[in-house]
Amino acid sequence: MAFFLMRCLNNPDVHELREKIRPQHREWVGSGGNGLVSVLIGSALVDDKGSSCGNFGILEAKSRADAQAFAEGDPFRKAGIIATIELTPLPDTFQVGRISEPMSPRLPAE
């Protein structure tokens, strides 16, 4: 398994659409993209004025391709809310055990 920091930044002026799509986004996150990944933790990102400007997540995935497929499949991305996606691998020493309540089911060990 590998861990990734996913950072997604929004297009400008998408607040209303984001609110409309949010339930679908939360369902996607809660399912780990139908089992593509485990979302260990995540949250909205805000700008200096406190307005939503994107989101982040720590993902557990079998591969970078699975993490990318999860990010690309997000209803926020499909609706044009997300402008850019960054996936940064985390080191093998990442202390996943310090995250106490994952947002979606953990992936089974291989």
Side-chain angles (χ1 to χ4, degrees):
M1 296 293 170
F3 298 97
F4 296 90
L5 169 63
M6 177 189 71
R7 185 170 175 255
C8 301
L9 298 178
N10 292 347
N11 282 302
D13 303 318
V14 293
H15 180 74
E16 288 181 27
L17 180 58
R18 186 177 180 280
E19 291 303 310
K20 179 180 175 185
I21 302 296
R22 183 184 291 181
Q24 296 165 338
H25 163 76
R26 286 185 173 169
E27 185 177 320
W28 181 253
V29 170
S31 75
N34 297 320
L36 279 170
V37 303
S38 177
V39 181
L40 303 178
I41 190 105
S43 182
L45 297 171
V46 296
D47 61 20
D48 291 338
K49 297 176 184 175
S51 298
S52 178
C53 64
N55 60 282
F56 84 94
I58 302 290
L59 310 178
E60 178 182 37
K62 292 179 181 174
S63 66
R64 183 184 189 92
D66 285 351
Q68 187 72 41
F70 169 79
E72 295 292 345
D74 187 326
F76 279 174
R77 177 67 164 186
K78 289 183 172 185
I81 296 165
I82 295 172
T84 61
I85 298 169
E86 298 172 4
L87 285 174
T88 304
L90 298 175
D92 293 341
T93 57
F94 177 68
Q95 296 179 13
V96 66
R98 296 177 77 181
I99 299 173
S100 61
E101 296 182 34
M103 296 173 74
S104 64
R106 292 290 309 274
L107 296 175
E110 292 184 352

